[in-house]
Amino acid sequence: MDFAEFKREVHRRFGLYLDGYKEPQLKRRIDSLMSLLQVPDYAAYLRLLSQDSQQWQRFIDKITINVSEFFRNPEIFARLEKEILPPLLARHQSLKVWSAACADGPEPYSVAILLNELAPAGRHQIDATDIDTSALAAARRGVYPSRAIQAVTPERRERYFRREGDNFYLQEKIKHMVNFRRHDLLKDPFGSGYHLILCRNVVIYFTAATQNELYRRFYQALAPGGVLFIGATESLFQYRELGFIKVAPWFYRRPEV
């Protein structure tokens, strides 16, 4: 079994579509994991994934980088708070938000904190999705180590978290603002009518063609006037061709009708 056949079988058996990933990076990660496990070939590894749920989770963890923290890149989140959200809230009393590839939840919860402060009376809808069900389960628990909240201000840490030992427990009110569900960016349908979509530091792992297709679909998922927020490691060079207006570094708006 070669690597192309392995990817096809993973899709057929597990529903995980791997063709959109940059192949050299993806193959390097999988080969590295196989080497650690001393698995001789792709056929044997596929059998292992089919028989061992722990190894399947390890495989998912290897190909999806679940590194996240609250207010990651604080200076960029400050721009979201001061420049992006106020105009959106001036037009819409309640916002519809999607945090795509949310890992274990710090990103959507950070947005929930901002909306709780900027527009506490709003009936905001915050959808948060990821391909990794284990990460989503951790997100719903809302319990984080200190490294995940290192960018949270002391005031917010005091207001929104309860410390027990080495862990920090997120306030229930903020947890209830976010709806988590499984979603595969490469094959599942997107929602629509979002005022803000966050997809940060994920698209860089996909091929250029897949990146363009995802950005096109994000554009369609935004409401007119809605904003796409991408990662600090990413650039959307073809934003004009896709129809976006660049509002600020890492923020792109779908024009009003």
Side-chain angles (χ1 to χ4, degrees), residues 20-239:
Y21 288 81
K22 292 178 180 175
E23 184 159 309
Q25 294 178 2
L26 178 68
K27 188 174 186 300
R28 188 163 56 247
R29 286 182 191 160
I30 294 173
D31 288 352
S32 171
L33 191 52
M34 288 171 57
S35 178
L36 284 173
L37 295 169
Q38 298 183 322
V39 177
D41 53 48
Y42 293 119
Y45 190 40
L46 191 66
R47 287 194 297 273
L48 179 64
L49 295 178
S50 300
Q51 296 164 2
D52 190 327
S53 60
Q54 289 186 333
Q55 291 303 328
W56 171 251
Q57 185 59 51
R58 191 174 179 183
F59 174 76
I60 291 291
D61 291 343
K62 189 70 173 179
I63 66 170
T64 59
I65 309 300
N66 287 325
V67 177
S68 188
E69 64 184 67
F70 283 79
F71 300 97
R72 186 178 182 183
N73 309 116
E75 69 286 354
I76 304 178
F77 259 92
R79 175 165 275 168
L80 174 68
E81 178 182 2
K82 295 177 173 65
E83 301 177 21
I84 305 299
L85 287 175
L88 289 173
L89 289 166
R91 295 195 298 273
H92 310 281
Q93 185 178 9
S94 300
L95 296 187
K96 185 178 182 182
V97 179
W98 177 22
S99 173
C102 68
D104 58 347
E107 179 180 275
Y109 284 142
S110 297
V111 176
I113 288 171
L114 293 181
L115 290 178
N116 181 66
E117 295 175 354
L118 293 171
R123 298 175 62 85
H124 309 293
Q125 175 184 332
I126 305 176
D127 298 328
T129 64
D130 200 273
I131 198 171
D132 187 344
T133 55
S134 178
L136 292 171
R140 294 185 185 100
R141 287 193 295 272
V143 182
Y144 296 95
S146 58
R147 62 169 177 76
I149 65 164
Q150 59 188 350
V152 179
T153 64
E155 294 79 13
R156 283 175 174 155
R157 188 176 299 192
E158 179 70 22
R159 181 178 179 185
Y160 295 109
F161 294 88
R162 182 186 82 257
R163 182 170 187 171
E164 291 188 13
D166 295 331
N167 292 321
F168 291 81
Y169 290 71
L170 184 64
Q171 184 186 77
E172 290 296 318
K173 177 182 178 181
I174 299 301
K175 286 170 60 177
H176 291 156
M177 291 179 67
V178 182
N179 308 303
F180 291 98
R181 62 181 174 84
R182 188 186 183 279
H183 181 270
D184 186 341
L185 282 171
L186 299 187
K187 72 169 194 172
D188 291 334
F190 287 13
S192 62
Y194 289 102
H195 303 112
L196 175 68
I197 295 176
L198 304 90
C199 187
R200 308 181 66 221
N201 308 309
V202 174
V203 174
I204 53 171
Y205 297 108
F206 301 136
T207 65
T210 300
Q211 290 179 23
N212 286 335
E213 176 63 13
L214 286 174
Y215 286 134
R216 185 191 66 78
R217 296 178 70 193
F218 283 136
Y219 180 94
Q220 295 298 326
L222 286 167
V227 175
L228 173 66
F229 180 11
I230 67 172
T233 60
E234 297 166 329
S235 299
L236 212 176
F237 295 112
Q238 295 179 304
Y239 67 89

